[in-house]
Amino acid sequence: MVSERSLEVLRVIVQDYVASREPVGSKSIVERHSFGVSAATIRNDMALLEEEQLIAAPHTSSGRVPTDKGYRLFVDHLAEARPLSPAQRTAIETFLGQSVDVDDVLSRTVRLLSQLTNQVALVQYPSVARSKIRHIELVSLAERRLLSVLITDSGAVEQRVIELTEELDDTEIAEIRGAINGAAAGLSLADAAERLRQLPDHLTERTRTLVAPVAGALRDQIAANRQDKLVMAGAANLARTETDFPGSITPVLEAIEEQVVLLRLFDEMALDQHGVAVSIGRENPVIGLTETSVMSSTYSSGSDLARVGLLGPLRMDYSGNMAAVRAVARYLSRLLGD
Protein backbone atom coordinates (compact mmCIF):
# COMPACT_ATOMS: atom_id res chain seq x y z
CA MET A 1 0.00 0.00 0.00
CA VAL A 2 1.18 3.50 -0.84
CA SER A 3 1.08 5.88 2.14
CA GLU A 4 -0.46 9.35 2.06
CA ARG A 5 3.01 10.89 2.18
CA SER A 6 4.15 8.72 -0.73
CA LEU A 7 1.17 9.92 -2.75
CA GLU A 8 2.12 13.49 -1.94
CA VAL A 9 5.67 12.71 -3.09
CA LEU A 10 4.21 11.42 -6.36
CA ARG A 11 2.20 14.62 -6.75
CA VAL A 12 5.26 16.86 -6.40
CA ILE A 13 7.30 14.59 -8.70
CA VAL A 14 4.69 15.03 -11.43
CA GLN A 15 4.45 18.78 -10.90
CA ASP A 16 8.21 19.32 -10.75
CA TYR A 17 8.92 17.12 -13.74
CA VAL A 18 6.26 18.86 -15.82
CA ALA A 19 7.72 22.24 -14.88
CA SER A 20 11.42 21.42 -15.33
CA ARG A 21 11.57 18.47 -17.76
CA GLU A 22 14.32 17.11 -15.46
CA PRO A 23 14.10 13.87 -13.45
CA VAL A 24 13.22 14.63 -9.84
CA GLY A 25 15.43 13.45 -6.96
CA SER A 26 14.89 13.21 -3.21
CA LYS A 27 17.26 16.09 -2.49
CA SER A 28 15.35 18.54 -4.67
CA ILE A 29 12.04 17.41 -3.13
CA VAL A 30 13.32 18.14 0.38
CA GLU A 31 14.71 21.50 -0.70
CA ARG A 32 11.64 22.66 -2.60
CA HIS A 33 8.79 21.20 -0.55
CA SER A 34 7.93 21.20 3.14
CA PHE A 35 7.65 17.52 4.01
CA GLY A 36 9.43 17.84 7.34
CA VAL A 37 11.37 14.61 6.84
CA SER A 38 14.89 13.73 5.68
CA ALA A 39 16.01 13.00 2.14
CA ALA A 40 16.51 9.37 3.20
CA THR A 41 12.83 9.11 4.15
CA ILE A 42 11.81 10.62 0.80
CA ARG A 43 14.06 8.09 -0.95
CA ASN A 44 12.19 5.30 0.85
CA ASP A 45 8.88 6.77 -0.37
CA MET A 46 10.26 6.98 -3.88
CA ALA A 47 11.41 3.34 -3.68
CA LEU A 48 7.86 2.34 -2.75
CA LEU A 49 6.45 4.37 -5.66
CA GLU A 50 8.92 2.68 -7.99
CA GLU A 51 7.88 -0.76 -6.73
CA GLU A 52 4.29 0.17 -7.57
CA GLN A 53 5.47 1.23 -11.07
CA LEU A 54 4.28 4.80 -10.50
CA ILE A 55 7.71 6.33 -11.18
CA ALA A 56 10.80 5.12 -13.01
CA ALA A 57 14.42 6.06 -13.60
CA PRO A 58 14.90 7.24 -17.21
CA HIS A 59 18.63 6.52 -16.96
CA THR A 60 21.30 5.90 -14.32
CA SER A 61 20.63 8.91 -12.11
CA SER A 62 19.03 9.53 -8.75
CA GLY A 63 16.09 11.29 -10.38
CA ARG A 64 12.75 9.71 -11.24
CA VAL A 65 9.97 10.54 -13.69
CA PRO A 66 6.29 9.54 -13.63
CA THR A 67 5.13 6.50 -15.58
CA ASP A 68 1.82 6.19 -17.44
CA LYS A 69 0.42 4.59 -14.29
CA GLY A 70 1.77 7.44 -12.16
CA TYR A 71 0.18 10.07 -14.40
CA ARG A 72 -3.11 8.16 -14.25
CA LEU A 73 -3.09 8.12 -10.45
CA PHE A 74 -2.21 11.81 -10.45
CA VAL A 75 -5.08 12.70 -12.80
CA ASP A 76 -7.63 10.54 -10.97
CA HIS A 77 -6.79 11.47 -7.37
CA LEU A 78 -4.02 14.05 -6.97
CA ALA A 79 -4.55 16.75 -9.60
CA GLU A 80 -5.72 19.99 -8.05
CA ALA A 81 -8.77 21.64 -9.55
CA ARG A 82 -7.37 24.93 -10.78
CA PRO A 83 -9.81 27.47 -12.20
CA LEU A 84 -8.81 29.68 -15.08
CA SER A 85 -7.62 33.17 -14.29
CA PRO A 86 -9.97 36.11 -14.91
CA ALA A 87 -7.76 37.11 -17.85
CA GLN A 88 -8.09 33.65 -19.41
CA ARG A 89 -11.88 33.62 -18.96
CA THR A 90 -12.13 37.08 -20.50
CA ALA A 91 -9.97 35.97 -23.43
CA ILE A 92 -12.27 33.01 -24.10
CA GLU A 93 -15.46 35.07 -23.95
CA THR A 94 -14.06 37.94 -26.02
CA PHE A 95 -12.37 35.92 -28.74
CA LEU A 96 -15.12 33.33 -29.21
CA GLY A 97 -17.85 35.93 -28.82
CA GLN A 98 -16.68 37.62 -32.01
CA SER A 99 -17.48 34.55 -34.12
CA VAL A 100 -19.92 34.93 -37.01
CA ASP A 101 -20.98 31.28 -37.59
CA VAL A 102 -20.29 27.72 -36.48
CA ASP A 103 -17.25 27.34 -38.73
CA ASP A 104 -15.76 30.52 -37.31
CA VAL A 105 -16.58 29.49 -33.74
CA LEU A 106 -14.79 26.16 -34.06
CA SER A 107 -11.81 27.64 -35.91
CA ARG A 108 -11.41 30.26 -33.18
CA THR A 109 -11.87 27.60 -30.48
CA VAL A 110 -8.90 25.47 -31.51
CA ARG A 111 -6.67 28.49 -32.09
CA LEU A 112 -7.48 29.88 -28.65
CA LEU A 113 -7.22 26.54 -26.83
CA SER A 114 -3.84 25.75 -28.40
CA GLN A 115 -2.57 29.17 -27.34
CA LEU A 116 -3.87 28.76 -23.78
CA THR A 117 -2.30 25.32 -23.31
CA ASN A 118 0.58 25.06 -25.81
CA GLN A 119 -0.84 21.73 -26.98
CA VAL A 120 -2.60 20.46 -30.09
CA ALA A 121 -6.25 21.53 -29.83
CA LEU A 122 -9.05 19.51 -31.41
CA VAL A 123 -12.75 20.21 -31.77
CA GLN A 124 -15.35 17.97 -33.32
CA TYR A 125 -18.12 19.44 -35.44
CA PRO A 126 -21.60 18.83 -34.02
CA SER A 127 -22.78 15.49 -35.37
CA VAL A 128 -24.93 16.66 -38.25
CA ALA A 129 -26.22 13.11 -38.68
CA ARG A 130 -28.55 13.92 -35.77
CA SER A 131 -29.22 17.49 -36.85
CA LYS A 132 -32.49 18.63 -38.37
CA ILE A 133 -32.92 20.95 -41.30
CA ARG A 134 -34.06 24.40 -40.28
CA HIS A 135 -34.23 25.97 -43.74
CA ILE A 136 -32.96 25.64 -47.29
CA GLU A 137 -32.43 28.88 -49.18
CA LEU A 138 -31.98 29.18 -52.95
CA VAL A 139 -30.33 32.24 -54.47
CA SER A 140 -29.95 32.96 -58.18
CA LEU A 141 -26.33 33.58 -59.16
CA ALA A 142 -26.63 33.53 -62.95
CA GLU A 143 -29.02 32.38 -65.66
CA ARG A 144 -28.47 28.68 -64.98
CA ARG A 145 -26.76 28.71 -61.64
CA LEU A 146 -28.20 28.63 -58.11
CA LEU A 147 -26.59 28.90 -54.67
CA SER A 148 -28.15 26.53 -52.15
CA VAL A 149 -27.72 27.33 -48.47
CA LEU A 150 -28.45 24.49 -46.06
CA ILE A 151 -29.05 25.55 -42.43
CA THR A 152 -29.45 23.02 -39.60
CA ASP A 153 -30.83 23.41 -36.10
CA SER A 154 -27.29 23.05 -34.73
CA GLY A 155 -26.31 26.27 -36.50
CA ALA A 156 -24.29 24.61 -39.26
CA VAL A 157 -24.45 26.44 -42.60
CA GLU A 158 -23.34 24.78 -45.83
CA GLN A 159 -23.35 26.39 -49.27
CA ARG A 160 -23.13 24.77 -52.68
CA VAL A 161 -23.46 25.99 -56.27
CA ILE A 162 -26.01 24.10 -58.40
CA GLU A 163 -25.67 24.05 -62.18
CA LEU A 164 -29.03 23.88 -64.02
CA THR A 165 -29.96 22.72 -67.50
CA GLU A 166 -32.39 25.61 -68.06
CA GLU A 167 -32.94 29.15 -66.87
CA LEU A 168 -35.29 29.80 -63.94
CA ASP A 169 -37.07 33.04 -63.14
CA ASP A 170 -37.69 34.36 -59.61
CA THR A 171 -41.20 32.90 -59.47
CA GLU A 172 -39.96 29.42 -60.37
CA ILE A 173 -37.12 29.63 -57.83
CA ALA A 174 -39.63 30.61 -55.16
CA GLU A 175 -41.81 27.63 -56.16
CA ILE A 176 -38.87 25.24 -55.87
CA ARG A 177 -37.82 26.76 -52.56
CA GLY A 178 -41.32 26.32 -51.15
CA ALA A 179 -41.59 22.72 -52.35
CA ILE A 180 -38.21 21.72 -50.95
CA ASN A 181 -38.68 23.38 -47.56
CA GLY A 182 -42.17 21.96 -47.31
CA ALA A 183 -40.74 18.50 -47.80
CA ALA A 184 -37.49 18.69 -45.83
CA ALA A 185 -37.72 21.37 -43.12
CA GLY A 186 -37.77 19.90 -39.61
CA LEU A 187 -36.51 16.49 -40.73
CA SER A 188 -33.21 14.84 -39.88
CA LEU A 189 -30.62 14.84 -42.65
CA ALA A 190 -31.21 11.15 -43.38
CA ASP A 191 -35.00 11.55 -43.54
CA ALA A 192 -34.70 14.75 -45.57
CA ALA A 193 -32.49 13.05 -48.15
CA GLU A 194 -35.10 10.31 -48.62
CA ARG A 195 -37.98 12.80 -48.78
CA LEU A 196 -36.18 14.84 -51.43
CA ARG A 197 -35.59 11.68 -53.44
CA GLN A 198 -39.33 11.06 -53.47
CA LEU A 199 -40.36 14.69 -53.87
CA PRO A 200 -40.43 14.99 -57.70
CA ASP A 201 -42.89 12.06 -57.89
CA HIS A 202 -45.55 14.15 -56.15
CA LEU A 203 -45.30 17.28 -58.28
CA THR A 204 -46.77 18.44 -61.56
CA GLU A 205 -44.72 17.65 -64.65
CA ARG A 206 -43.43 21.22 -65.03
CA THR A 207 -42.58 21.59 -61.33
CA ARG A 208 -40.99 18.15 -61.33
CA THR A 209 -38.71 19.17 -64.16
CA LEU A 210 -37.63 22.23 -62.17
CA VAL A 211 -37.25 20.55 -58.79
CA ALA A 212 -35.50 17.30 -59.77
CA PRO A 213 -31.96 18.67 -60.41
CA VAL A 214 -32.14 20.93 -57.35
CA ALA A 215 -33.39 18.11 -55.12
CA GLY A 216 -30.63 15.82 -56.42
CA ALA A 217 -27.94 18.40 -55.67
CA LEU A 218 -29.36 18.95 -52.19
CA ARG A 219 -29.30 15.20 -51.51
CA ASP A 220 -25.60 15.20 -52.35
CA GLN A 221 -25.11 18.22 -50.11
CA ILE A 222 -26.89 16.53 -47.20
CA ALA A 223 -24.89 13.31 -47.66
CA ALA A 224 -21.62 15.27 -47.58
CA ASN A 225 -22.65 16.96 -44.34
CA ARG A 226 -23.37 13.71 -42.52
CA GLN A 227 -19.65 13.03 -42.12
CA ASP A 228 -18.08 13.88 -38.76
CA LYS A 229 -15.23 16.35 -39.01
CA LEU A 230 -12.46 17.64 -36.75
CA VAL A 231 -10.82 21.05 -36.66
CA MET A 232 -7.25 21.14 -35.39
CA ALA A 233 -4.68 23.78 -34.44
CA GLY A 234 -1.32 23.88 -32.69
CA ALA A 235 0.53 21.02 -34.36
CA ALA A 236 3.63 23.21 -34.20
CA ASN A 237 3.47 22.87 -30.40
CA LEU A 238 4.46 19.21 -30.80
CA ALA A 239 7.69 20.22 -32.50
CA ARG A 240 8.54 22.45 -29.55
CA THR A 241 8.24 19.44 -27.22
CA GLU A 242 9.93 16.94 -29.55
CA THR A 243 12.35 15.88 -26.81
CA ASP A 244 9.37 14.47 -24.90
CA PHE A 245 8.89 11.83 -27.59
CA PRO A 246 11.44 8.98 -27.61
CA GLY A 247 12.76 8.20 -31.06
CA SER A 248 10.72 10.30 -33.46
CA ILE A 249 7.73 12.63 -33.42
CA THR A 250 6.73 11.46 -36.91
CA PRO A 251 4.32 8.69 -35.74
CA VAL A 252 2.43 11.25 -33.65
CA LEU A 253 2.11 13.66 -36.57
CA GLU A 254 0.91 10.84 -38.81
CA ALA A 255 -1.64 9.68 -36.23
CA ILE A 256 -3.26 13.09 -35.79
CA GLU A 257 -3.89 13.29 -39.52
CA GLU A 258 -6.28 10.32 -39.23
CA GLN A 259 -9.50 12.08 -38.29
CA VAL A 260 -11.61 8.92 -38.23
CA VAL A 261 -9.24 7.32 -35.73
CA LEU A 262 -9.22 10.39 -33.48
CA LEU A 263 -13.01 10.64 -33.59
CA ARG A 264 -13.27 6.98 -32.58
CA LEU A 265 -10.87 7.62 -29.69
CA PHE A 266 -12.99 10.58 -28.58
CA ASP A 267 -16.10 8.39 -28.58
CA GLU A 268 -14.41 5.73 -26.44
CA MET A 269 -13.18 8.13 -23.74
CA ALA A 270 -15.37 8.17 -20.62
CA LEU A 271 -15.89 11.47 -18.79
CA ASP A 272 -14.90 11.72 -15.13
CA GLN A 273 -16.87 13.40 -12.37
CA HIS A 274 -15.58 16.78 -13.52
CA GLY A 275 -16.79 16.29 -17.09
CA VAL A 276 -13.33 15.69 -18.58
CA ALA A 277 -11.94 12.49 -20.12
CA VAL A 278 -8.20 11.80 -20.11
CA SER A 279 -6.47 8.95 -21.96
CA ILE A 280 -2.80 8.52 -21.04
CA GLY A 281 0.04 6.85 -22.88
CA ARG A 282 -0.56 3.16 -23.51
CA GLU A 283 -4.26 3.67 -22.78
CA ASN A 284 -4.41 5.15 -26.29
CA PRO A 285 -4.94 2.25 -28.69
CA VAL A 286 -4.01 4.35 -31.72
CA ILE A 287 -0.62 3.57 -33.24
CA GLY A 288 1.62 6.58 -32.73
CA LEU A 289 -0.21 7.96 -29.68
CA THR A 290 1.22 5.73 -26.94
CA GLU A 291 3.60 8.52 -25.91
CA THR A 292 0.83 11.12 -25.74
CA SER A 293 -2.05 12.12 -23.52
CA VAL A 294 -5.44 13.02 -24.96
CA MET A 295 -8.13 14.84 -23.02
CA SER A 296 -11.60 15.99 -23.98
CA SER A 297 -14.91 17.31 -22.76
CA THR A 298 -18.32 17.50 -24.41
CA TYR A 299 -20.19 20.56 -25.59
CA SER A 300 -23.75 20.79 -26.84
CA SER A 301 -25.09 22.45 -29.97
CA GLY A 302 -28.85 22.24 -30.07
CA SER A 303 -29.70 18.55 -29.81
CA ASP A 304 -26.17 17.45 -30.69
CA LEU A 305 -23.15 16.63 -28.53
CA ALA A 306 -19.55 16.85 -29.70
CA ARG A 307 -16.07 16.88 -28.17
CA VAL A 308 -13.40 19.49 -27.70
CA GLY A 309 -9.98 18.52 -26.40
CA LEU A 310 -6.20 18.46 -26.44
CA LEU A 311 -3.40 16.16 -27.48
CA GLY A 312 0.17 16.48 -26.24
CA PRO A 313 3.10 14.69 -24.59
CA LEU A 314 2.73 12.73 -21.37
CA ARG A 315 4.64 15.54 -19.65
CA MET A 316 1.91 18.18 -19.62
CA ASP A 317 0.15 20.47 -17.16
CA TYR A 318 -2.83 18.20 -16.51
CA SER A 319 -4.56 20.44 -13.97
CA GLY A 320 -4.32 23.58 -16.10
CA ASN A 321 -5.16 21.82 -19.36
CA MET A 322 -8.18 20.05 -17.90
CA ALA A 323 -9.47 23.37 -16.57
CA ALA A 324 -9.01 25.02 -19.98
CA VAL A 325 -10.79 22.22 -21.84
CA ARG A 326 -13.68 22.22 -19.39
CA ALA A 327 -14.07 26.01 -19.52
CA VAL A 328 -13.97 26.16 -23.32
CA ALA A 329 -16.50 23.30 -23.60
CA ARG A 330 -18.90 25.10 -21.26
CA TYR A 331 -18.60 28.35 -23.17
CA LEU A 332 -19.12 26.57 -26.51
CA SER A 333 -22.32 25.05 -25.11
CA ARG A 334 -23.60 28.47 -24.09
CA LEU A 335 -22.61 30.05 -27.38
CA LEU A 336 -23.89 27.37 -29.76
CA GLY A 337 -26.82 26.38 -27.60
CA ASP A 338 -28.18 29.89 -28.06
Side-chain angles (χ1 to χ4, degrees):
M1 293 294 293
V2 179
S3 67
E4 289 297 322
R5 189 181 63 236
S6 295
L7 290 177
E8 184 65 13
V9 170
L10 174 63
R11 185 180 67 81
V12 300
I13 288 175
V14 172
Q15 292 176 338
D16 287 0
Y17 178 61
V18 167
S20 69
R21 195 183 273 134
E22 296 293 333
V24 181
S26 58
K27 182 179 179 181
S28 67
I29 292 176
V30 170
E31 292 174 348
R32 298 185 59 183
H33 303 279
S34 302
F35 277 90
V37 296
S38 66
T41 300
I42 297 298
R43 282 196 295 274
N44 290 335
D45 290 323
M46 294 175 68
L48 179 58
L49 294 172
E50 193 163 11
E51 287 178 8
E52 296 293 328
Q53 300 181 338
L54 297 170
I55 61 174
H59 45 73
T60 55
S61 72
S62 60
R64 298 294 184 270
V65 300
T67 62
D68 292 9
K69 185 178 177 182
Y71 282 122
R72 168 53 61 195
L73 182 58
F74 175 82
V75 168
D76 290 345
H77 301 291
L78 304 176
E80 299 173 344
R82 193 168 72 227
L84 296 185
S85 69
Q88 289 173 317
R89 289 196 299 270
T90 300
I92 293 173
E93 295 176 2
T94 301
F95 190 62
L96 298 188
Q98 296 171 351
S99 306
V100 296
D101 56 27
V102 173
D103 292 333
D104 193 28
V105 169
L106 301 187
S107 175
R108 286 172 174 265
T109 295
V110 290
R111 284 154 51 199
L112 176 64
L113 191 54
S114 68
Q115 291 170 5
L116 287 175
T117 63
N118 294 316
Q119 308 296 340
V120 178
L122 309 163
V123 64
Q124 178 185 17
Y125 266 80
S127 180
V128 292
R130 294 190 297 271
S131 297
K132 295 182 178 180
I133 293 179
R134 179 178 295 168
H135 182 71
I136 299 171
E137 186 58 61
L138 298 175
V139 181
S140 177
L141 296 178
E143 290 183 352
R144 296 184 180 182
R145 182 175 294 176
L146 288 179
L147 175 69
S148 70
V149 184
L150 172 66
I151 305 171
T152 72
D153 63 350
S154 64
V157 178
E158 177 69 20
Q159 302 180 0
R160 179 169 294 194
V161 175
I162 301 175
E163 302 291 344
L164 304 174
T165 58
E166 58 182 296
E167 183 179 352
L168 301 176
D169 60 30
D170 291 343
T171 300
E172 291 169 325
I173 293 174
E175 184 179 1
I176 296 172
R177 183 191 301 116
I180 287 174
N181 278 290
L187 297 181
S188 68
L189 295 186
D191 290 343
E194 177 61 21
R195 185 68 64 85
L196 289 175
R197 186 187 67 80
Q198 300 171 354
L199 177 60
D201 298 336
H202 304 287
L203 303 174
T204 64
E205 184 176 353
R206 169 60 179 165
T207 306
R208 185 186 308 127
T209 302
L210 300 176
V211 168
V214 179
L218 283 168
R219 287 200 308 272
D220 293 341
Q221 188 174 356
I222 289 170
N225 273 276
R226 293 179 64 189
Q227 302 301 314
D228 283 331
K229 294 184 290 185
L230 275 176
V231 185
M232 184 183 310
N237 289 323
L238 287 175
R240 299 188 186 99
T241 59
E242 188 169 3
T243 55
D244 286 312
F245 298 96
S248 171
I249 197 174
T250 302
V252 181
L253 296 174
E254 292 175 344
I256 64 176
E257 292 180 357
E258 299 294 332
Q259 290 205 0
V260 173
V261 174
L262 290 175
L263 287 166
R264 188 182 305 124
L265 177 59
F266 268 2
D267 289 340
E268 294 172 352
M269 293 169 62
L271 300 177
D272 65 12
Q273 68 271 26
H274 304 296
V276 178
V278 183
S279 186
I280 299 171
R282 292 179 178 83
E283 296 172 357
N284 295 315
V286 181
I287 296 175
L289 297 186
T290 56
E291 297 294 336
T292 70
S293 286
V294 182
M295 62 180 61
S296 69
S297 187
T298 58
Y299 72 93
S300 62
S301 175
S303 58
D304 300 321
L305 288 177
R307 297 265 186 154
V308 57
L310 296 171
L311 182 149
L314 294 172
R315 191 192 63 84
M316 67 160 61
D317 177 9
Y318 288 92
S319 296
N321 291 347
M322 291 166 65
V325 168
R326 184 168 55 239
V328 168
R330 288 175 177 173
Y331 188 77
L332 273 180
S333 294
R334 294 201 304 270
L335 188 63
L336 297 179
D338 295 338

